[in-house]
Amino acid sequence: MNESETTGANTGERPESLPDPTSEPMAKTSPAPETERVLIGTGVFWGLVVGLLLAAVLIILAAQNTDKVTINFLAWEYSTPLIAVILVVLLAGVVLDELAGLVYRARRRHTLTDRRELKRLQKKRNS
């Protein structure tokens, strides 16, 4: 038996692994129906509770950390309460986090816009 007999190349037969193009097309699956999103409440209550808890923790932290600390940076020397140092570092962390998030969101928005434009151009080219 030669290779043409095993693959059906000369006989016009299709290999068994490929579907017959004359047969019925495969059934298409329909996408799942979109469910309506139900929003309950605004989250203001829990935001207020968390905010009050954080404020209480901050007040306790400030009351317990009133000792003066000396900050040395290059030629400067500065004395300040420990809570001031903690708050400045906390604020700097929040600002840096927000800046990083802003850069990430801008890049993501740009990427998504590019994808939409590419799809639009491909549809235009295909039609």
Side-chain angles (χ1 to χ4, degrees), residues 98-117:
E98 288 301 316
L99 287 175
L102 181 69
V103 169
Y104 172 78
R105 287 187 302 272
R107 284 184 180 173
R108 180 77 176 146
R109 202 172 298 121
H110 183 71
T111 300
L112 292 174
T113 303
D114 287 349
R115 284 184 189 165
R116 279 190 225 111
E117 181 66 14

Side-chain angles (χ1 to χ4, degrees), residues 67-82 84-85 88:
D67 297 338
K68 292 267 185 185
V69 293
T70 303
I71 309 268
N72 295 313
F73 182 71
L74 298 175
W76 297 290
E77 187 174 306
Y78 187 72
S79 275
T80 185
L82 179 60
V85 174
V88 166

Side-chain angles (χ1 to χ4, degrees), residues 42-60:
T42 59
V44 172
F45 174 75
W46 289 110
L48 182 63
V49 169
V50 170
L52 289 173
L53 286 173
L54 287 175
V57 168
L58 190 61
I59 290 169
I60 293 169

Side-chain angles (χ1 to χ4, degrees), residues 17-29:
S17 62
L18 297 175
D20 185 12
T22 59
S23 66
E24 293 182 15
M26 295 179 7
K28 294 181 181 178
T29 58

